[in-house]
Amino acid sequence: MKHLNKLITTVVLLVGLLSQAQDANNPWSLSFGANAVDTRVSAASNLNDQFSDYFNTKDNWNFLPSVSYLNVSKYAGDNFSFGVTGSINKMSKFVNKKATDGTYSVVNPGDYNYYGVDLDIKYSFMNMIGSKHFDPTAHLGGGYTFLGDVSAGTMNAGLGLTYWMTDLVGLSVQSNYKHSFDDARLPGVDVPSHMQHFAGIIFKFGGKDTDGDGVYDKEDTCPEVFGLKQFKGCPDTDGDGIVDASDACPDAAGTVAMNGCPDTDGDGVADKEDACPEVAGLKALKGCPDTDGDGTTDKADKCPNIKGPKENAGCPWPDADGDSVLDKDDKCPTEKGSVANNGCPEISKTQMNSLDGYAKTILFNSGKASFQKQTFPVLKSITAILKENPTAKFSLSGHTDSTGNAESNLKLSTQRAGAVLNYLVSNGVASDRLSSNGFGDTQPIDSNNTAEGRANNRRVEVKYVK
């Protein structure tokens, strides 16, 4: 037994060296059960005769009614695995070679103890046949067998079948032919070639599932977060069929089209971005409706059924006086006017004629910009006309006759026009409606050769500016 223990230790170490580090799920397996040893295969003279009495368990099989073998193996990739098997039996049935009468005799060689330590390479056909439960295998390997006080090395080959009841637990059977290198078929002298059969239960283990979701880490896209098998171990918190990592709304069930977010009103805008999530609207308006199509959402539109500009809260600008000039632009919103005059009425022709007439009667003291006394009633009349047209603008232009030099005349004409402007402003006419300028003697309207002509040329004209 000392030698057996040493051999088992050596073989286990050898398996550890041969089995490369794997990334397959549950790379380790452990199986145990009962084994039977049959020496008939080496007693027969031909292949057909060797297997003709294969299932004669009563006469040929040596069997211990207890757990009599243990196998440990490790998956090595590409359907291959390496394993070591230790087995024990008691040889009470030894099949002798065929007698001259064509029969075989079975004798008790002496109740020899049988010990086997075998290393094998196993290939699984499970993936090839596409089965989830049936796992046929082929085995090839070698080992060492102890029979009583003798021992011998063997070359092994066999077939097996495992039925996996679950992913981790299965029932297995296997038959190995063990060819002895010391086969004189003399009990107590050598170890004959023989068949060894195994039947037992097998467990797979070693798989790592960090998050405990039933998906092994090697196949788990989210190995540290509990998830679902159909999503390769990743979670889908809201159960909408979109994994949380790809779900823009992982806590609210949505659709693929909305990247996992809900769209309650079905307007194509996800609820989280929809300013009106329960009313179908427009994407351009963040999911809110715009009934009148004026670009202002109904909830912000004071006139939701009538188009209007955003600046007026979605309502059309009013035109109270109906002059086609909107109140916001109408300088006279309650009085019909013209577009050219910013919504205010145009100054009448009669009033303009009056202004022209009054302007010609504005008299100044000689060589000065001060008014003669009789001019003030005229200035009052001009003021009244300008106030009747509160938005109209006017220009005041001063002119002189040719008496005196041009420079003095220009200065004097400018002063006189300014004097009229100052009077009008001081009497209630807005200054921004008026402008003044002087032209000296450059724009005469009559001859400067007569006293009457010169009098006509000394004037301040009042002109309407639209």
Side-chain angles (χ1 to χ4, degrees):
M1 289 297 293
K2 289 183 179 180
H3 297 296
L4 178 58
N5 291 335
K6 290 180 180 180
L7 184 58
I8 291 175
T9 301
T10 301
V11 173
V12 170
L13 291 175
L14 180 59
V15 172
L17 293 174
L18 290 175
S19 301
Q20 302 300 313
Q22 301 302 315
D23 60 357
N25 293 330
N26 297 298
W28 289 96
S29 71
L30 174 69
S31 66
F32 57 87
N35 81 94
V37 177
D38 180 4
T39 60
R40 178 182 170 84
V41 67
S42 60
S45 58
N46 57 68
L47 183 63
N48 181 61
D49 205 16
Q50 288 175 342
F51 293 97
S52 61
D53 210 19
Y54 180 86
F55 291 106
N56 188 349
T57 60
K58 179 180 179 182
D59 296 330
N60 301 341
W61 286 21
N62 296 277
F63 177 75
L64 283 180
S66 64
V67 174
S68 57
Y69 86 90
L70 177 68
N71 171 269
V72 178
S73 66
K74 187 177 183 184
Y75 181 72
D78 295 328
N79 301 314
F80 284 97
S81 60
F82 295 91
V84 61
T85 303
S87 60
I88 185 172
N89 212 313
K90 183 175 288 291
M91 296 293 292
S92 60
K93 299 173 183 179
F94 188 87
V95 182
N96 287 317
K97 286 185 175 292
K98 183 186 291 186
T100 56
D101 61 359
T103 62
Y104 294 91
S105 61
V106 179
V107 299
N108 186 336
D111 291 329
Y112 291 136
N113 287 330
Y114 175 101
Y115 300 100
V117 179
D118 299 287
L119 175 68
D120 68 352
I121 300 172
K122 179 173 66 176
Y123 183 83
S124 170
F125 297 93
M126 187 174 185
N127 291 334
M128 184 181 296
I129 66 174
S131 174
K132 293 183 178 180
H133 297 286
F134 290 96
D135 183 10
T137 55
H139 305 256
L140 185 66
Y144 212 81
T145 300
F146 299 84
L147 186 60
D149 294 329
V150 299
S151 60
T154 62
M155 179 65 74
N156 308 334
L159 298 173
L161 177 65
T162 299
Y163 177 76
W164 293 104
M165 297 180 291
T166 70
D167 288 342
L168 302 177
V169 181
L171 298 175
S172 67
V173 293
Q174 179 180 330
S175 287
N176 283 356
Y177 170 68
K178 304 177 74 170
H179 181 78
S180 174
F181 294 103
D182 184 12
D183 187 5
R185 295 195 55 76
L186 296 174
V189 177
D190 61 6
V191 176
S193 297
H194 58 279
M195 294 291 295
Q196 187 172 21
H197 312 293
F198 303 90
I201 188 168
I202 182 170
F203 299 91
K204 289 191 292 187
F205 62 95
K208 186 178 181 182
D209 180 13
T210 301
D211 53 22
D213 58 6
V215 181
Y216 295 107
D217 286 1
K218 71 171 289 290
E219 296 177 351
D220 197 328
T221 306
C222 306
E224 296 182 357
V225 182
F226 188 91
L228 304 174
K229 288 184 178 180
Q230 61 266 39
F231 297 125
K232 295 184 178 180
C234 287
D236 175 19
T237 302
D238 53 22
D240 59 5
I242 302 170
V243 296
D244 289 358
S246 302
D247 197 328
C249 302
D251 297 316
T255 64
V256 174
M258 293 288 105
N259 293 321
C261 291
D263 177 16
T264 302
D265 53 23
D267 59 4
V269 180
D271 286 359
K272 71 171 187 173
E273 299 174 351
D274 198 328
C276 305
E278 296 182 357
V279 183
L282 304 174
K283 289 184 179 181
L285 298 178
K286 294 184 178 180
C288 288
D290 175 18
T291 302
D292 55 20
D294 60 4
T296 302
T297 61
D298 287 357
K299 69 177 183 179
D301 197 331
K302 292 184 178 180
C303 304
N305 298 309
I306 304 173
K307 286 186 177 181
K310 291 182 180 180
E311 296 78 8
N312 198 39
C315 290
W317 291 109
D319 178 16
D321 54 19
D323 58 5
S324 299
V325 180
L326 300 177
D327 287 359
K328 70 182 184 70
D329 302 318
D330 199 329
K331 300 297 183 182
C332 304
T334 60
E335 187 177 3
K336 185 176 289 188
S338 67
V339 174
N341 199 34
N342 298 316
C344 289
E346 300 275 359
I347 187 170
S348 69
K349 188 174 182 179
T350 300
Q351 289 176 319
M352 284 304 305
N353 289 336
S354 297
L355 286 176
D356 289 340
Y358 290 138
K360 292 177 181 179
T361 60
I362 297 175
L363 301 176
F364 294 93
N365 293 312
S366 179
K368 297 181 181 179
S370 57
F371 302 112
Q372 292 185 13
K373 185 176 181 180
Q374 60 269 35
T375 295
F376 286 106
V378 174
L379 292 174
K380 288 183 180 179
S381 297
I382 293 174
T383 302
I385 293 174
L386 266 58
K387 286 185 176 181
E388 290 174 3
N389 298 275
T391 61
K393 294 186 177 183
F394 299 88
S395 66
L396 308 173
S397 56
H399 303 272
T400 66
D401 59 26
S402 60
T403 303
N405 62 61
E407 183 178 351
S408 297
N409 288 337
L410 177 62
K411 181 178 180 182
L412 181 59
S413 66
T414 301
Q415 291 173 342
R416 286 178 173 176
V420 175
L421 185 148
N422 290 335
Y423 178 87
L424 295 173
V425 171
S426 64
N427 283 275
V429 179
S431 61
D432 61 354
R433 297 173 54 204
L434 303 171
S435 63
S436 66
N437 205 352
F439 297 93
D441 57 10
T442 61
Q443 298 180 7
I445 59 172
D446 205 342
S447 174
N448 280 309
N449 293 325
T450 65
E452 183 180 358
R454 288 192 294 273
N456 290 333
N457 288 334
R458 296 192 297 273
R459 69 198 186 280
V460 173
E461 295 179 350
V462 182
K463 294 184 179 180
Y464 174 49
V465 180
K466 291 186 179 181

